[in-house]
Amino acid sequence: MVGFARRSVLALALATSAAALATGWGAGTAAAAERLRVGVLKFGTVSWETSVIKAHGLDAAAGVEIEIVELASNDAARIAFQAGEVDTIVSDVLWAARLTAENRPVVYIPFSATEGSIMVAAGSPIRTLADLKGKKIGVAGGALDKGWLLIQGYARQSAGIDLTRDAEPVFGAPPLLQQKLETGELDAALLFWNFAARLEAKGFRELMPFDEAARKFGIEGNVSLLGYVFRAGFAAEHPAALKGLAEASRKAKALLAGSEAEWQRIRPQMRAEDDATFQALRRRFLDGIPKRPVEAEQADARRLYAILAEIGGERLVGPARTLPDGIYWSGLKGGS
């Protein structure tokens, strides 16, 4: 009887060991998925993508476990990233370059090429940048916003006007500026793309988008100025996590590009109050999906960075007058 018991225990142990090996939990088996803390704004466009990733298990399929960390604002996201409370956020390539130039190196994976626009009322007499002379212009993002600087530069080049002196810029939060443009308290407003989309749905007109202004300076294609940012040390230690996120992000965007049902599923996150707003937000998001080889992106980003550095100076870019080497994650070679 004792011998039988011992044989039963041994058989159970062998069966348990075999099951562990089959499921990858035994010693020396495949490593567990990389865990990645992604900081997002609750209703931000990054949350649309991460929602798709989690709903379809695209992270697990790519060997990474994404933990979504909701944050209150862009400033809170940057603070959380620098404090190590999250592993990545979506931010500006200029900010990534500045951190790197200040000996806090980061790497960058493109997320979106959709940028802001100058918006005016449908019936506004303003047709060109020259018509902004003497007008009150709302500017989201502050005096060093890249769109504002680039449009200032093109206004000087094309019309010989200094918008900081010849117009009346008004800086403020995007929702407030959107409201003031709607009520006629502003003649024009430079807004982030999602706010511009909401105005477009209400019949407002795009005077000049950021990418059009960039092309006036010789930029050849859309540049993804927003991307996932990682500390360089983390990227070196966890390349599988970055690869997994890049793959999951690409597949999520492909789903959004081809599935009406997927958009209906995330519609509550978009806070689109009507169908026109929903359609405008969707179109602009899809327009921003990175499609260019990363080498082309990087070449145009270098040119654009140099232009903005010349216009904005050290207050904008810090000590680096050129885009630092190694900003774009090396794992992106051959495609975005």
Side-chain angles (χ1 to χ4, degrees), residues 185-207:
E185 297 174 69
L186 294 173
D187 300 299
L190 174 60
L191 295 167
F192 305 141
W193 73 263
N194 47 331
F195 293 94
R198 293 179 186 280
L199 284 168
E200 177 190 323
K202 295 179 179 181
F204 283 72
R205 174 167 51 85
E206 192 174 57
L207 178 66

Side-chain angles (χ1 to χ4, degrees), residues 5-324:
R6 285 177 177 170
R7 286 195 299 273
S8 298
V9 171
L10 178 60
L12 179 61
L14 288 171
T16 304
S17 177
L21 288 169
T23 56
W25 288 100
T29 61
E34 291 267 14
R35 179 169 165 269
L36 191 64
R37 298 168 300 166
V38 181
V40 303
L41 307 188
K42 184 173 183 179
F43 294 105
T45 56
V46 184
S47 73
W48 306 355
E49 175 167 293
T50 54
S51 175
V52 174
I53 288 172
K54 297 302 290 184
H56 293 275
L58 300 179
D59 54 341
V64 62
E65 179 191 348
I66 289 178
E67 177 189 339
I68 297 171
V69 180
E70 289 186 355
L71 301 165
S73 67
N74 286 320
D75 285 343
R78 290 184 173 188
I79 291 168
F81 174 75
Q82 291 178 87
E85 295 171 5
V86 294
D87 301 314
T88 184
I89 59 171
V90 166
S91 195
D92 195 305
V93 72
L94 296 181
W95 186 67
R98 182 168 192 144
L99 288 179
T100 299
E102 293 172 349
N103 295 316
R104 293 180 285 170
V106 299
V107 296
Y108 177 88
I109 296 176
F111 169 75
S112 176
T114 301
E115 282 289 335
S117 305
I118 295 184
M119 303 296 293
V120 297
S124 170
I126 299 171
R127 296 287 168 180
T128 68
L129 293 185
D131 296 332
L132 292 173
K133 187 173 183 177
K135 299 296 193 290
K136 187 178 287 189
I137 310 168
V139 180
L144 292 176
D145 175 75
K146 57 187 179 298
W148 174 234
L149 292 172
L150 198 65
I151 285 167
Q152 282 181 61
Y154 183 58
R156 281 197 296 268
Q157 176 182 296
S158 63
I161 62 172
D162 181 345
L163 291 176
T164 64
R165 184 190 63 220
D166 300 327
E168 186 182 342
V170 177
F171 303 103
L176 178 61
L177 297 177
Q178 177 186 336
Q179 180 185 8
K180 287 184 175 296
L181 183 61
E182 290 183 56
T183 58
E185 297 174 69
L186 294 173
D187 300 299
L190 174 60
L191 295 167
F192 305 141
W193 73 263
N194 47 331
F195 293 94
R198 293 179 186 280
L199 284 168
E200 177 190 323
K202 295 179 179 181
F204 283 72
R205 174 167 51 85
E206 192 174 57
L207 178 66
M208 178 171 282
F210 178 93
D211 57 354
E212 182 182 335
R215 283 187 173 84
K216 302 295 185 183
F217 286 94
I219 304 305
E220 294 179 2
N222 291 349
V223 180
S224 300
L225 291 177
L226 293 175
Y228 288 102
V229 178
F230 296 83
R231 291 175 295 280
F234 178 90
E237 293 173 5
H238 303 276
L242 274 69
K243 182 181 179 182
L245 176 63
E247 182 179 335
S249 172
R250 185 169 58 251
K251 288 181 178 179
K253 287 183 172 76
L255 271 174
L256 288 168
S259 171
E260 172 66 26
E262 203 58 36
W263 281 102
Q264 292 301 330
R265 190 185 65 76
I266 67 169
R267 185 166 179 164
Q269 292 175 251
M270 298 167 68
R271 295 190 296 180
E273 56 270 22
D274 52 51
D275 196 58
T277 302
F278 169 71
Q279 296 295 345
L281 287 167
R282 177 169 71 171
R283 178 179 57 77
R284 288 190 179 231
F285 180 92
L286 293 175
D287 285 348
I289 293 176
K291 300 178 180 71
R292 306 170 70 200
V294 71
E295 294 82 3
E297 280 261 359
Q298 201 164 358
D300 267 346
R302 287 187 184 282
R303 284 191 282 269
L304 187 56
Y305 185 92
I307 292 162
L308 290 169
E310 182 178 347
I311 297 170
E314 189 170 344
R315 286 200 307 153
L316 175 66
V317 298
R321 302 295 290 184
T322 58
L323 190 69

